[in-house]
Amino acid sequence: MSTYLVPVDFSKTANHAAKYAARLSWAMKDSKIILLNAYYVSDYEMLLPTPDLLVTTDDRIAEEVVKRREALDQLKNKLLEINPEADIEVSLSRETILRSIIEIVNRQPIDLIIIGSNGKKAKDESDIGSNAIKISKSSPVPVLVVPPKAQYQSIRKAILACDFKKVKEVIPMNALKNILSKHALELLVLNINSGEKINSNEDHFLHEMLRDFSPSYHYSDHPDTIKGIVQFAKAEEAQIIIALPKKYSFFESLLHESVSHRLTIKSHIPVLLLKD
């Protein structure tokens, strides 16, 4: 069974990601969805009134917990309309969203975390969406970032974007094999090192590493790395971009928030962030 963890805050962004997960679960059959909402109230919030001069009392917290549980159940019912056979669990945590995610991942096997990206026109629409990259960098399991307009499509073609010269350091093979083994797809490996060719030793190593997937190899000469990836994916009509958010990959630039948002904003298809 594949288990998908979907953090939600009841925004359009998060609900869109949840609906994507429901359609994915329909396609994958033996799968489970966990809808997670985090409601954290700090000691500071307990001492001071809110901007509208309301004091956060225990009674108000209890009322909010009930409202959130009801909202989770309502969202679950909407997902069951998409996939009536879906196995959906709801979870309300009183920790921060990141701590809540880590606790669930440590408690049970999670195959994929699915997060909605806010996109350019909804920058502040979802706290989860605005922190998608931070969550992905801290998550011990792969994270799928779903753009606002991305609709689920059967995954037939995937783009793996990496720097061929640093491939030894950046490809998490176990995670990659786990994902690709569940889909019969065409893998296109895109060199994002400014179109620079690699030498025969590097070429041999890369081909040996990815031999089981029978990929085709391509080079991007676009001066803007992210635009080059997105344009290539669009031209190839791919259904997913696979990227590597760790040191030495082009996702090292995710340390700069303005750059990190560009891929999830500009990409028209989901972006899968793999970890070791």
Side-chain angles (χ1 to χ4, degrees), residues 156-224:
R156 303 180 303 279
K157 186 181 292 189
I159 308 297
L160 173 61
C162 62
D163 184 340
F164 286 12
K165 283 183 169 293
K166 297 171 182 175
V167 70
K168 292 182 182 180
E169 297 99 330
V170 304
I171 292 190
M173 289 304 298
N174 289 336
L176 185 63
K177 287 180 178 179
N178 185 49
I179 293 293
L180 296 183
S181 64
K182 297 178 180 179
H183 301 272
L185 53 78
E186 179 183 355
L187 180 63
L188 285 68
V189 184
L190 178 65
N191 180 25
I192 50 117
N193 190 22
S194 301
E196 182 180 345
K197 300 295 183 180
I198 57 177
N199 63 43
S200 58
N201 289 333
E202 291 164 335
D203 182 86
H204 176 74
F205 180 84
L206 186 64
H207 280 71
E208 284 297 310
M209 180 180 287
L210 299 175
R211 180 176 54 183
D212 292 344
F213 309 124
S214 302
S216 58
Y217 295 87
H218 307 265
Y219 297 83
S220 171
D221 57 2
H222 200 291
D224 185 311

Side-chain angles (χ1 to χ4, degrees), residues 26-266:
W26 175 266
M28 297 301 293
K29 299 303 180 186
D30 187 23
S31 58
K32 175 181 178 180
I33 297 172
I34 301 176
L35 297 175
L36 169 66
N37 178 247
Y39 175 47
Y40 175 70
V41 180
S42 67
D43 293 338
Y44 179 81
E45 291 173 282
M46 293 287 289
L47 295 174
L48 296 178
T50 63
D52 50 4
L53 301 180
L54 295 175
V55 178
T56 308
T57 63
D58 288 340
D59 287 342
R60 289 189 182 280
I61 291 174
E63 290 175 2
E64 183 65 23
V65 166
V66 171
K67 286 171 57 179
R68 287 172 180 253
R69 289 195 183 279
E70 291 175 348
L72 280 168
D73 287 336
Q74 289 174 5
L75 180 57
K76 174 181 176 179
N77 290 335
K78 289 181 180 178
L79 301 190
L80 288 173
E81 293 175 4
I82 296 173
N83 180 7
E85 299 178 3
D87 180 1
I88 304 176
E89 173 186 322
V90 297
S91 177
L92 177 62
S93 170
R94 293 296 311 280
E95 297 290 347
T96 63
I97 184 61
L98 185 56
R99 183 182 291 273
S100 301
I101 290 171
I102 299 302
E103 284 184 352
I104 287 184
V105 170
N106 288 336
R107 206 166 55 230
Q108 59 182 299
I110 301 294
D111 296 276
L112 187 65
I113 298 172
I114 301 177
I115 295 177
S117 165
N118 278 341
K120 185 182 296 184
K121 294 183 179 180
K123 183 176 181 181
D124 301 318
E125 207 259 301
S126 166
D127 288 339
I128 294 174
S130 62
N131 288 291
I133 300 301
K134 292 179 182 177
I135 292 172
S136 70
K137 289 179 73 68
S138 302
S139 167
V141 300
V143 173
L144 186 69
V145 183
V146 182
K149 295 182 180 180
Q151 299 299 323
Y152 176 76
Q153 302 177 67
S154 176
I155 302 175
R156 303 180 303 279
K157 186 181 292 189
I159 308 297
L160 173 61
C162 62
D163 184 340
F164 286 12
K165 283 183 169 293
K166 297 171 182 175
V167 70
K168 292 182 182 180
E169 297 99 330
V170 304
I171 292 190
M173 289 304 298
N174 289 336
L176 185 63
K177 287 180 178 179
N178 185 49
I179 293 293
L180 296 183
S181 64
K182 297 178 180 179
H183 301 272
L185 53 78
E186 179 183 355
L187 180 63
L188 285 68
V189 184
L190 178 65
N191 180 25
I192 50 117
N193 190 22
S194 301
E196 182 180 345
K197 300 295 183 180
I198 57 177
N199 63 43
S200 58
N201 289 333
E202 291 164 335
D203 182 86
H204 176 74
F205 180 84
L206 186 64
H207 280 71
E208 284 297 310
M209 180 180 287
L210 299 175
R211 180 176 54 183
D212 292 344
F213 309 124
S214 302
S216 58
Y217 295 87
H218 307 265
Y219 297 83
S220 171
D221 57 2
H222 200 291
D224 185 311
T225 297
I226 293 176
K227 283 185 179 179
I229 295 169
V230 171
Q231 289 181 9
F232 180 79
K234 187 172 293 187
E236 293 292 337
E237 299 182 344
Q239 288 76 46
I240 194 169
I241 296 171
I242 302 174
L244 312 162
K246 58 181 293 184
K247 191 176 180 182
Y248 302 124
S249 74
F250 80 88
F251 262 83
E252 188 174 7
S253 64
L254 292 177
L255 295 173
H256 305 285
E257 189 171 355
S258 61
V259 176
S260 69
H261 281 292
R262 287 176 56 214
L263 185 65
T264 54
I265 289 172
K266 290 181 177 296

